[in-house]
Amino acid sequence: MVEEPTIGMMFDSEEEVFSYYKQYAKQVGFGVTKRSRRLGDDGNVRYFTIACLREGKSKSKASNIVRPKPMERMGCKAKINAKVSLDGRFTLSSVVLEHTHVVSPSKTKYFRCHKKLNSRVKRKLEQLDDAGVRPSKNYKALAIEAGGYDNLPFGEKDCRNYINKVRNELLGEGDAEALRNYLMRMQQKNDRFFYVIDIDEESRLKNVFWADARSRAAYESFGDVITFDTTYLTNKYKMSFAPFVGVNHHGQSILFGCGLLSNENTDTFVWLFETWLKCMSDRAPNAIITDQDRAMQAAIRRVFPRANHRFCLWHIMSKVPHKLGSYSQYENFKGALLNCVYDSLTCDEFETRWQQVVEKYNLQENAWLCQLYGERHQWVPAYVKGIFWAGMSTTQRSESMNAFFDGYVGPKTPLKKFVGDYDNALMRMVENKRLADFGSYNKMFPLITLHSIERQLQAIYTNEKFKEVQEEFRGFMMCLPSLLKCEGAISTYEVIDRVRVSGDFIKEVKYCVYFNDTECEVQCTCRLFEFRGIMCRHALIVLTLVKDVKELPSKYILDRWRKDLKRKYTFVKSSYDDLSGNPKAQKYDDLCNDFSEVAFLASDYNETYMTMKACIRKLKEELLCNGLRSESSLSSAPSLHIPGAYSICNEATDGRYQKCNKLRSPLVAKSKGKPSSTRKQSIVEKVVRKLKLTKVKK
């Protein structure tokens, strides 16, 4: 521990003063910079100042004033001044300790002044770079060696051209055995690690699902909307990688567990969904986005009957050229279809436009269009925009998660190597989230208007979500509101929005905004708030310019986008993270272990259960009264501890699961799609094929 700076502290040199204050800053949680200095007549330093990195005021360097860049400085006064005393030593003449911003010791490594790349690390990175390892692996390998990203005093950019050692996962055992040992080892580290392995009658691996403790806890905060996609093959057995993906308060993809599937029929999906639901304490999501896979649809109806199920809009529209490209009037039809799908604000408007398009181009008998129309409630924006989807309309989250794992695994990766690479990917994902937290707490986008609602959201939303808010405020200049009618407390406004379609082509779109003066309720026909949880420009322009509302009601501020809430999943210990760099998280995990033991002992008898319940309630009230925790900070607490499953099972004839001592590797899964042709080849075709093979060999 470094002692707090006080006036009169003495040091032998300027470097010693800076080194001391930098260590103190790292301990408290802020960055430092040398601000000013004064030289004497002899050329030596007589006086200098070391200040907080966020001192002074930033000047925007953005070339476009309506697209500002985040500012780092915010007028912080924290600093120390040192001057030379009569004996030639440096004495602290003034000290300011108070900061005007939040400090965080766990995030100090992101400040430039605290980054340190020593010679040993540099040499090792150079050697691995000479060995031909890709530069993108450098930082990840160092994090594995150090035991996590928190233990590295530098960032990825500081060692982009270097590399660390290659992980040795090539064990002597088979793939399935290595996978089972890995999952058992993870649960030994953390009993909240959850996994289930499904095997066939020959003790061969069929399917597997697992989720780490942090992912299970994060589901409590962000599990309302998920995407699910299985179009990614990750291993030499062609088993489909099936991730459950959501979006966090930074707009980043977050993983809620994943599976490896040997086939994609309804029974397999039912097994996976039921296993995942059990892992998440039987709490089903409110909304699911998938592709149009029939087996997947049947499984969702069976396991998640109350969830809103939506098809990926991009997948559907990407099939249009393939399904309808042969029509003679395709180019004209394509534009009409796109306008029908994307420009229809209401369901009735879509119905009218669809019938007009079908009749005009004589497409009544097209089977694919008939099928799409029958399923319109699951993909047409006009039908689904009234449901909260966290801004997602496609399975891009699952696909981006697949792209994220591309940096770690490939189509020929064995299972025993895949699981280790999977951990590295999760560690990287957690690091990205922490980096986004750091950015939201230490930088903010400057206001582009004088409206108090923008200032209100700037203070509580993460930077990424506030950027979306500013995009709506920026759209004010393209909107023109006018009053249509007023009936009692309810006013109806028409807002004309000018939308740039392509190039210089701009079209006008009319929206209706309803405002209730009594309840301060506002609703727009674009339904952006219902869909993304962000207030649209049409509603905002009525609130600010017409009604002069100074503060947005709390019902229009979603907790899932806030940066000022303490979410408990960040303190949950995961199997790949020992939390050595986070003392608060260590204390949290230690208390959870003690509470679990007490709960186990007290749950045997009703009398001890009631006594312990009363003690916990009293302790909670005392903590709340002392101000140690607010009720809002407990709103996103994870559910009661549920130990992870570790069953290795197969379907027996009597319906029971049986243990298996020796686990065999899976068979190569059959790919979907058209099978290879069995047509007999003519003699000419055989000769041509033989000649081609000969040329290839040469």
Side-chain angles (χ1 to χ4, degrees):
M1 298 292 294
V2 180
E3 64 177 316
E4 194 174 84
T6 56
I7 296 176
M9 295 181 67
M10 304 192 69
F11 302 88
D12 293 330
S13 64
E14 179 183 358
E15 290 75 19
E16 186 177 345
V17 178
F18 185 76
S19 176
Y20 157 76
Y21 195 57
K22 189 168 67 171
Q23 292 179 26
Y24 168 76
K26 186 175 182 180
Q27 175 180 290
V28 175
F30 64 96
V32 297
T33 181
K34 294 180 179 179
R35 194 180 70 177
S36 60
R37 62 192 315 197
R38 183 180 300 170
L39 302 180
D41 296 335
D42 55 358
N44 295 325
V45 177
R46 308 299 300 173
Y47 174 91
F48 65 90
T49 300
I50 306 175
C52 174
L53 197 62
R54 305 193 69 181
E55 56 90 25
K57 293 186 178 180
S58 296
K59 294 183 179 180
S60 178
K61 298 180 180 180
S63 58
N64 189 344
I65 191 172
V66 297
R67 293 188 180 276
K69 296 182 179 179
M71 300 181 301
E72 185 176 52
R73 298 185 178 185
M74 58 177 301
C76 184
K77 302 296 183 181
K79 64 180 180 178
I80 61 171
N81 296 324
K83 64 179 182 180
V84 178
S85 56
L86 295 177
D87 59 356
R89 302 179 69 191
F90 287 86
T91 305
L92 298 188
S93 58
S94 66
V95 175
V96 179
L97 298 178
E98 293 78 18
H99 294 266
T100 60
H101 56 89
V102 178
V103 294
S104 177
S106 64
K107 300 180 178 66
T108 52
K109 70 167 190 170
Y110 298 108
F111 290 106
R112 292 187 299 272
C113 60
H114 298 309
K115 293 179 180 179
K116 183 179 180 182
L117 196 65
N118 59 41
S119 57
R120 181 190 66 83
V121 172
K122 289 181 179 179
R123 177 56 183 161
K124 178 170 288 188
L125 292 171
E126 291 172 355
Q127 290 174 338
L128 293 170
D129 186 59
D130 292 338
V133 185
R134 289 183 296 167
S136 60
K137 295 288 186 179
N138 297 338
Y139 190 53
K140 303 160 192 173
L142 285 174
I144 296 169
E145 183 186 30
Y149 288 94
D150 289 342
N151 299 329
L152 294 177
F154 47 82
E156 184 175 359
K157 291 183 179 179
D158 304 306
C159 57
R160 190 177 296 277
N161 297 321
Y162 297 94
I163 204 68
N164 199 353
K165 66 179 180 179
V166 177
R167 289 165 284 111
N168 185 7
E169 296 277 354
L170 301 178
L171 308 177
E173 56 199 354
D175 273 342
E177 281 294 312
L179 176 62
R180 176 169 66 172
N181 291 339
Y182 161 80
L183 298 175
M184 294 174 63
R185 189 167 59 251
M186 290 298 101
Q187 197 175 62
Q188 288 175 358
K189 292 182 179 180
N190 190 328
D191 63 353
R192 283 170 287 187
F193 184 92
F194 184 102
Y195 77 90
V196 176
I197 297 178
D198 183 28
I199 63 176
D200 60 16
E201 295 77 6
E202 299 178 355
S203 299
R204 196 180 296 276
L205 176 67
K206 286 175 55 182
N207 311 298
V208 59
F209 168 82
W210 73 94
D212 68 285
R214 194 188 301 269
S215 296
R216 297 178 69 189
Y219 182 77
E220 295 286 337
S221 299
F222 306 113
D224 47 357
V225 183
I226 66 166
T227 66
F228 181 77
D229 183 63
T230 59
T231 59
Y232 187 62
L233 300 179
T234 60
N235 50 77
K236 68 180 183 180
Y237 300 106
K238 295 185 178 180
M239 299 178 73
S240 297
F241 179 50
F244 295 88
V245 182
V247 59
N248 66 8
H249 54 309
H250 295 291
Q252 298 172 327
S253 297
I254 185 169
L255 195 65
F256 299 134
C258 64
L260 290 173
L261 308 178
S262 58
N263 58 65
E264 297 182 39
N265 55 32
T266 300
D267 291 338
T268 300
F269 284 129
V270 168
W271 175 89
L272 179 64
F273 292 156
E274 289 180 344
T275 302
W276 181 72
L277 193 59
K278 180 181 179 182
C279 172
M280 299 305 171
S281 305
D282 292 324
R283 177 191 166 190
N286 297 329
I288 304 174
I289 304 175
T290 70
D291 57 22
Q292 290 178 283
D293 186 90
R294 295 297 177 188
M296 199 180 298
Q297 292 180 50
I300 289 175
R301 285 195 297 268
R302 189 185 307 180
V303 184
F304 308 120
R306 298 182 180 179
N308 296 297
H309 182 201
R310 176 178 185 173
F311 298 149
C312 173
L313 183 59
W314 180 87
H315 280 162
I316 292 176
M317 301 310 295
S318 65
K319 296 178 182 178
V320 172
H322 173 68
K323 298 288 186 179
L324 304 171
S326 60
Y327 278 78
S328 59
Q329 294 181 306
Y330 169 72
E331 292 300 327
N332 296 330
F333 164 75
K334 179 182 177 182
L337 179 63
L338 293 178
N339 291 334
C340 174
V341 173
Y342 292 107
D343 294 343
S344 298
L345 295 180
T346 64
C347 299
D348 292 339
E349 188 176 351
F350 170 80
E351 296 282 354
T352 302
R353 289 187 175 185
W354 182 274
Q355 295 301 328
Q356 290 175 350
V357 171
V358 171
E359 292 175 2
K360 181 177 180 180
Y361 297 99
N362 298 318
L363 296 169
Q364 295 89 339
E365 303 301 324
N366 185 279
W368 185 68
L369 285 180
C370 291
Q371 176 190 336
L372 284 184
Y373 181 75
E375 298 173 337
R376 60 192 181 280
H377 300 86
Q378 293 182 273
W379 67 275
V380 177
Y383 285 92
V384 300
K385 66 180 182 179
I387 302 170
F388 181 69
W389 298 96
M392 298 183 288
S393 60
T394 70
T395 56
Q396 59 181 354
R397 292 286 170 179
S398 298
E399 292 162 3
S400 65
M401 187 66 66
N402 294 338
F404 183 84
F405 280 102
D406 268 336
Y408 299 86
V409 298
K412 295 184 179 180
T413 303
L415 292 181
K416 55 191 175 186
K417 191 173 187 300
F418 169 81
V419 291
D421 293 336
Y422 169 87
D423 270 1
N424 302 337
L426 286 187
M427 291 171 63
R428 177 62 175 162
M429 196 178 304
V430 173
E431 173 69 0
N432 290 341
K433 185 264 177 188
R434 290 173 178 166
L435 188 60
D437 282 343
F438 173 79
S440 290
Y441 278 114
N442 290 276
K443 297 181 181 180
M444 63 176 61
F445 288 94
L447 302 175
I448 60 175
T449 71
L450 299 178
H451 301 300
S452 57
I453 289 181
E454 185 188 6
R455 185 179 300 277
Q456 176 190 6
L457 297 177
Q458 179 197 43
I460 59 179
Y461 272 8
T462 62
N463 280 355
E464 287 301 317
K465 287 302 159 183
F466 182 65
K467 280 172 59 179
E468 296 181 20
V469 172
Q470 283 198 321
E471 190 64 33
E472 298 306 314
F473 276 100
R474 194 176 291 115
F476 273 24
M477 62 185 69
M478 304 297 288
C479 294
L480 179 63
S482 60
L483 179 64
L484 286 181
K485 61 180 178 178
C486 183
E487 298 177 352
I490 300 178
S491 305
T492 303
Y493 295 87
E494 180 184 74
V495 179
I496 300 177
D497 191 0
R498 297 170 181 85
V499 182
R500 185 183 299 276
V501 180
S502 61
D504 296 330
F505 178 68
I506 296 177
K507 67 177 181 180
E508 290 187 353
V509 184
K510 296 180 180 180
Y511 298 94
C512 286
V513 178
Y514 306 94
F515 182 78
N516 187 328
D517 284 286
T518 305
E519 304 293 336
C520 195
E521 291 182 349
V522 62
Q523 187 180 59
C524 179
T525 53
C526 76
R527 309 301 292 272
L528 183 70
F529 178 76
E530 290 81 357
F531 175 73
R532 286 171 52 188
I534 298 293
M535 191 66 69
C536 67
R537 64 191 66 182
H538 320 114
L540 286 172
I541 201 170
V542 171
L543 289 174
T544 56
L545 298 185
V546 179
K547 294 297 182 179
D548 195 27
V549 176
K550 300 298 183 182
E551 185 173 299
L552 197 64
S554 58
K555 56 188 171 184
Y556 297 118
I557 300 176
L558 299 190
D559 287 346
R560 72 172 349 270
W561 303 141
R562 299 180 66 145
K563 65 181 178 182
D564 56 341
L565 292 182
K566 296 293 184 181
R567 294 177 172 85
K568 293 294 184 67
Y569 79 92
T570 58
F571 303 131
V572 173
K573 181 179 179 182
S574 184
S575 304
Y576 56 82
D577 185 5
D578 61 1
L579 301 178
S580 58
N582 193 338
K584 187 175 182 180
Q586 284 183 316
K587 294 175 184 177
Y588 174 85
D589 187 67
D590 187 47
L591 288 174
C592 284
N593 291 334
D594 291 339
F595 285 148
S596 296
E597 294 179 8
V598 172
F600 177 78
L601 296 173
S603 60
D604 286 341
Y605 304 97
N606 189 57
E607 183 178 356
T608 55
Y609 164 77
M610 297 302 296
T611 302
M612 187 54 59
K613 191 78 174 178
C615 292
I616 292 176
R617 188 180 297 110
K618 182 179 179 181
L619 178 61
K620 179 181 177 181
E621 292 175 354
E622 291 178 356
L623 291 174
L624 291 174
C625 291
N626 293 333
L628 296 180
R629 285 289 185 272
S630 64
E631 288 290 351
S632 60
S633 68
L634 299 174
S635 60
S636 57
S639 60
L640 296 177
H641 168 66
I642 299 178
Y646 51 91
S647 55
I648 298 174
C649 54
N650 67 341
E651 296 288 349
T653 54
D654 58 359
R656 293 181 299 175
Y657 293 132
Q658 296 180 346
K659 291 281 184 175
C660 173
N661 295 325
K662 182 67 176 178
L663 192 61
R664 301 175 64 187
S665 296
L667 298 173
V668 177
K670 293 182 179 180
S671 302
K672 281 188 174 182
K674 183 180 178 181
S676 57
S677 175
T678 58
R679 180 180 63 85
K680 292 184 178 181
Q681 293 181 336
S682 65
I683 298 177
V684 176
E685 288 177 320
K686 292 180 180 180
V687 172
V688 172
R689 182 173 178 273
K690 186 175 181 180
L691 291 174
K692 288 182 178 180
L693 292 175
T694 304
K695 291 181 179 180
V696 171
K697 291 179 180 180
K698 290 181 178 180

